[in-house]
Amino acid sequence: MNGTIDGFSYGLVTPVAAYVMACVGSALGLRCVVRTVHHEPGWRLGWLALGASALGCGIWTMHFIAMTGFSVAETPITYDVPLTVLSLVVAIVMVSAGVFIVGHRGATRTALTVGGSITGLGVAMMHYLGMFAMQLDGDLRYNAFTVTLSVVIALVAATAALWAAVSVQGFLRTLGASLVMGLAVTGMHYTGMAAVSVHLHNGMQQAVGGQEGTSLLLPMLLGPIIFLILAAAIVMFDPVLILGAGEWNKSPQGRSTVVARGTRIPVQVPGIEDSPAPTAPSQQADGWPSSSTQWPANDGRASQYSDAGAGDSYGARYEAE
């Protein structure tokens, strides 16, 4: 006997919430990879780790938010806790491997192929491991063609996301790429769920092991969501991502000079045009300044040095003092 499956027990609430979390994780992951590829200042390894963790947590959170809307009318659904936690670890580890490959090697064809394959397989493994963690009074059966299609979607989505991370610059373009990535990941999930059918053991409801879905998933989702909020705060307040590389590395264009004790000293002052470089005083053979070198007139020195003797030679000035 086949069970009656409902993947939208709460209507559009769960698919919309799942899509939003997938977009948030994708946006944070892509921005962190953009930070390491296109902007030099900062800790490269740390940004890659943060991006990979945010992407993995976003995908895992999307999956289990969507699963809260999955039900079988004839039997309750529970979840095995260790397998559920393992699915989160698999998501973060596999996504991290793909992100680190592309983050270090760049947008080469080999790096994108290998990194995208690892990341896509990680997404698919997380999904089906999470499905395997479900316990109910029946057996889950899968349509091979639909499962294959879901894996292909995961591979293409992951490769496209990594390509966008190293090729697309600018906040709006990254945001657009994350929206597409979120749609692809969510589409992969529901494509995989469309492959599922439940064959019940009998027509009577029986108690099954594990922990009830809502009571387990909602507390477990709290940790990854808090992590995504903290990651978003780090990304939002990073000056390099806010200002861009050009503004962060921009140096003042103008210079002015301050004259003290007869020597012109170049000083960096924004908005003032360059002043000619000072002329070094002539020196004698023993390294001391020539006595013919003249002190600058009062109008060429700072006011605190405009005393008598301006225009005299260094030697005359020394004797006078």
Side-chain angles (χ1 to χ4, degrees):
M1 175 181 176
N2 290 329
T4 304
I5 295 176
D6 185 3
F8 305 93
S9 300
Y10 299 101
L12 293 177
V13 174
T14 49
V16 170
Y19 173 69
V20 170
M21 293 310 300
C23 290
V24 169
S26 299
L28 292 175
L30 294 182
R31 290 298 285 170
C32 289
V33 176
V34 167
R35 174 66 163 77
T36 62
V37 173
H38 298 295
H39 306 292
E40 289 299 329
W43 186 30
R44 183 185 183 90
L45 183 62
W47 282 106
L48 285 176
L50 179 64
S53 300
L55 186 57
C57 286
I59 294 172
W60 185 88
T61 304
M62 175 278 303
H63 171 81
F64 281 101
I65 286 179
M67 289 306 298
T68 58
F70 180 82
S71 64
V72 180
E74 294 80 9
T75 178
I77 298 176
T78 61
Y79 288 85
D80 181 83
V81 176
L83 286 177
T84 303
V85 175
L86 180 60
S87 66
L88 173 60
V89 175
V90 168
I92 294 177
V93 171
M94 295 291 285
V95 170
S96 298
V99 168
F100 272 76
I101 289 174
V102 175
H104 282 282
R105 304 295 295 180
T108 64
R109 181 176 300 179
T110 302
L112 286 174
T113 301
V114 175
S117 299
I118 293 176
T119 303
L121 289 176
V123 173
M125 288 176 60
M126 179 278 301
H127 173 84
Y128 289 105
L129 188 58
M131 295 294 295
F132 187 69
M134 287 197 312
Q135 297 178 343
L136 44 77
D137 185 29
D139 296 325
L140 295 179
R141 298 179 179 179
Y142 296 91
N143 179 275
F145 173 79
T146 311
V147 169
T148 302
L149 180 60
S150 68
V151 174
V152 171
I153 293 175
L155 293 173
V156 174
T159 304
L162 293 178
W163 173 84
V166 296
S167 302
V168 176
Q169 299 187 50
F171 175 76
L172 293 180
R173 293 183 179 181
T174 304
L175 179 61
S178 65
L179 294 178
V180 175
M181 175 65 176
L183 180 63
V185 172
T186 307
M188 176 268 162
H189 170 84
Y190 284 103
T191 301
M193 296 306 298
V196 176
S197 61
V198 177
H199 181 75
L200 299 174
H201 291 161
N202 53 58
M204 300 292 292
Q205 290 189 10
Q206 295 183 357
V208 291
Q211 191 169 346
E212 187 178 353
T214 305
S215 62
L216 169 67
L217 295 181
L218 292 182
M220 289 190 67
L221 289 171
L222 187 61
I225 290 176
I226 292 176
F227 173 80
L228 290 174
I229 293 174
L230 295 176
I234 294 174
V235 171
M236 289 175 61
F237 288 100
D238 177 57
V240 176
L241 286 178
I242 293 175
L243 299 177
E247 294 295 329
W248 177 260
N249 295 323
K250 187 176 180 180
S251 60
Q253 299 299 321
R255 296 181 180 180
S256 68
T257 58
V258 175
V259 181
R261 302 297 286 180
T263 304
R264 291 179 178 266
I265 305 173
V267 177
Q268 297 282 349
V269 177
I272 301 179
E273 297 180 356
D274 286 346
S275 299
T279 303
S282 59
Q283 295 183 351
Q284 298 178 359
D286 56 3
W288 289 92
S290 172
S291 59
S292 62
T293 304
Q294 299 296 313
W295 285 86
N298 288 344
D299 56 356
R301 295 188 290 140
S303 59
Q304 61 267 35
Y305 299 109
S306 58
D307 50 0
D312 294 339
S313 66
Y314 282 113
R317 177 69 176 176
Y318 178 81
E319 293 174 356
E321 295 180 342

